[in-house]
């Protein structure tokens, strides 16, 4: 049997109608859940819809909120995720939108794209998707485009393709603010512990650090630039290496709050105190920054506001309103607590400051 051809974006209702032997209006009634169709006709059309892979999605019109959107997150068990969920939930409540939340690795360990969440997205008929910290492959971008599913990225891992909307924070300026604060206190030997080398937000924060150091006429020794993978243990390890240098820093900028706490651990293991022996500034302003002892000076990025902005941008996109600027950045600000102070006359290890 030769089946009717489908478009690149999937079968049209006309194709479904021909396959099921019904009219296009009848196929449309079944696809949209209408009740005025006989059971036998509904069965034939439903089988054709499933067999040919028709994507059921709510009709999006200007001024009308969709019924369902997906939020796909890298993980759900972190303070970061909690802040993003809070922002999306508030914006969704205001818009009358239902949100399905899932944690999905966008790549398998073998490096191949993972398709399970794509198939579930298609089966649900979601009107749009928010991706948080997701690393999408070219094949996955193409799949979303081919099926006509609008999407917005929240803090994308890598630079997204041209035209893909995203929402983030002023990471570079945050790195500048953190470093300038330490310079203003009198520090000259300032180290940095970044996240991942290729992650967009990490490279931006590191660039801000370098910019502030250059503007102050301060040299950045290569051994002062470290990467801790955005995790507490990685930063603890790199902080130990910094302390073992012949001329250790008097201050450190860590590119996330968990890494700031990792630096705390390394210093405590040596009997050193913050900020008496080492000043520490971090990035995020997650709850643990407030709970730390001493309280962690950090750059606040507005995670909940970023998430809410992303949802509102997604709704506009689904209504046909394409934004002029595809990249939206919300302002960061330095939150002063008790982890920074002027340097001592001698560095933590006894080397001249």
């Amino acid at each position: 049997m030769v089946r009717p051809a489908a478009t690149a974006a999937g079968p049209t209702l006309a194709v479904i109608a021909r396959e099921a032997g019904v009219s296009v209006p009848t196929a449309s009634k079944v696809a949209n859940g209408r009740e005025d169709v006989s059971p036998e006709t509904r069965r034939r059309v439903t089988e054709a819809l499933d067999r040919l892979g028709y994507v059921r999605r709510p009709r999006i019109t200007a001024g009308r909120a969709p019924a369902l959107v997906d939020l796909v997150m890298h993980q759900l068990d972190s303070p970061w995720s909690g802040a993003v969920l809070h922002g999306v939930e508030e914006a969704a409540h205001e818009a009358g939108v239902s949100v399905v939340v899932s944690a999905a690795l966008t790549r398998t360990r073998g490096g191949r794209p993972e398709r399970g969440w794509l198939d579930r997205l298609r089966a649900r008929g979601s009107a749009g998707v928010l991706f948080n910290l997701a690393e999408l492959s070219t094949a996955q971008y193409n799949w979303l485009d081919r099926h006509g599913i609008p999407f917005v990225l929240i803090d994308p891992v890598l630079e997204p393709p041209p035209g893909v909307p995203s929402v983030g924070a002023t990471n570079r300026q945050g790195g500048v603010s953190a470093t300038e604060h330490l310079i203003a206190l009198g520090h000259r030997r300032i180290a940095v512990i970044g996240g991942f080398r290729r992650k967009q937000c990490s490279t931006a924060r590191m660039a801000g650090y370098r910019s502030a150091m250059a503007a102050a006429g301060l040299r950045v020794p290569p051994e002062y630039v470290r990467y801790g993978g955005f995790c507490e243990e990685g930063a603890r390890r790199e902080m130990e290496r910094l302390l073992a240098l012949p001329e250790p820093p008097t201050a450190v900028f860590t590119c996330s709050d968990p890494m700031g706490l990792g630096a705390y651990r390394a210093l405590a293991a040596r009997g050193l105190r913050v900020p008496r022996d080492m000043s520490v500034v971090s990035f995020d302003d997650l709850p643990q920054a407030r709970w730390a002892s001493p309280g962690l000076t950090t750059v606040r990025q507005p995670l909940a506001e970023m998430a809410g902005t992303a949802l509102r941008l997604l709704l506009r996109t689904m209504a046909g309103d394409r934004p002029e600027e595809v990249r939206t950045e919300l302002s960061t600000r330095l939150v002063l607590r008790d982890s920074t102070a002027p340097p001592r006359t001698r560095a933590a290890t006894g080397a001249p400051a």
Side-chain angles (χ1 to χ4, degrees):
M1 175 180 177
V2 179
R3 291 182 176 174
T7 68
T12 64
L13 280 174
V15 172
I16 299 298
R18 288 198 300 271
E19 181 78 356
V22 300
S23 67
V24 173
T26 298
S28 177
K29 288 180 181 180
V30 176
N32 289 288
R34 293 271 297 275
E35 298 295 330
D36 51 339
V37 179
S38 70
E40 175 60 23
T41 299
R42 182 178 302 279
R43 181 191 63 78
R44 295 204 315 271
V45 174
T46 299
E47 288 179 355
L49 291 168
D50 293 340
R51 185 167 59 251
L52 298 182
Y54 181 80
V55 181
R56 301 174 176 88
R57 291 193 302 277
R59 184 185 300 272
I60 304 302
T61 56
R64 178 183 175 188
L68 183 68
V69 297
D70 270 59
L71 170 61
V72 180
M73 309 187 74
H74 179 66
Q75 60 181 16
L76 298 176
D77 57 346
S78 71
W80 169 286
S81 303
V84 170
L85 284 169
H86 176 69
V88 171
E89 190 278 332
E90 279 199 343
H93 178 74
E94 292 175 2
V97 177
S98 296
V99 179
V100 175
V101 180
S102 59
L105 294 175
T106 53
R107 290 183 179 273
T108 64
R109 291 184 179 179
R112 293 185 299 273
E114 192 255 319
R115 281 293 307 273
W117 60 270
L118 290 174
D119 294 333
R120 290 189 293 272
L121 172 70
R122 181 178 180 177
R124 278 193 293 271
S126 295
V129 193
L130 294 173
F131 292 104
N132 178 223
L133 291 176
E135 184 178 350
L136 300 179
S137 67
T138 300
Q140 289 163 341
Y141 279 122
N142 291 340
W143 188 95
L144 291 162
D145 287 338
R146 187 166 63 250
H147 289 83
I149 299 176
F151 60 96
V152 173
L153 309 181
I154 305 173
D155 197 22
V157 173
L158 305 177
E159 183 73 25
V164 172
S166 66
V167 177
T170 53
N171 289 294
R172 189 179 188 280
Q173 184 55 47
V176 169
S177 299
T179 310
E180 286 182 341
H181 169 64
L182 294 171
I183 294 171
L185 288 172
H187 292 279
R188 297 297 177 263
R189 300 209 307 268
I190 304 170
V192 64
I193 305 177
F196 295 102
R197 293 177 185 270
R198 67 192 188 96
K199 192 170 189 290
Q200 186 175 215
C201 69
S202 180
T203 57
R205 294 168 195 175
M206 300 284 275
Y209 157 81
R210 290 184 180 277
S211 175
M213 294 290 282
L218 299 177
R219 186 176 69 92
V220 179
E223 61 270 22
Y224 276 19
V225 179
R226 304 282 173 165
Y227 290 89
F230 282 119
C231 69
E232 183 173 330
E233 179 58 28
R236 182 199 62 78
R237 180 182 62 247
E238 297 305 324
M239 188 73 245
E240 288 179 348
R241 292 171 177 168
L242 288 169
L243 293 172
L245 293 173
E247 191 174 47
T250 62
V252 61
F253 167 42
T254 65
C255 289
S256 77
D257 288 343
M259 290 200 294
L261 299 181
Y264 273 29
R265 285 177 52 201
L267 291 162
R270 286 208 175 198
L272 303 176
R273 295 167 58 187
V274 177
R276 178 177 181 270
D277 300 308
M278 180 77 66
S279 286
V280 181
V281 179
S282 67
F283 205 108
D284 284 334
D285 196 27
L286 298 173
Q288 55 259 55
R290 300 192 299 272
W291 302 336
S293 180
L296 187 54
T297 293
T298 186
V299 176
R300 181 183 184 272
Q301 60 172 335
L303 297 175
E305 294 91 333
M306 286 161 54
T309 298
L311 179 60
R312 288 186 287 271
L313 178 59
L314 178 63
L315 298 180
R316 286 173 50 201
T317 301
M318 290 187 293
D321 180 12
R322 301 295 297 179
E324 293 182 4
E325 298 291 336
V326 294
R327 172 69 176 178
T328 301
E329 289 193 344
L330 303 188
S331 296
T332 55
R333 65 179 178 88
L334 185 67
V335 178
L336 298 177
R337 295 196 177 96
D338 299 320
S339 65
T340 56
R344 299 176 66 195
T345 56
R346 297 180 66 82
T349 59

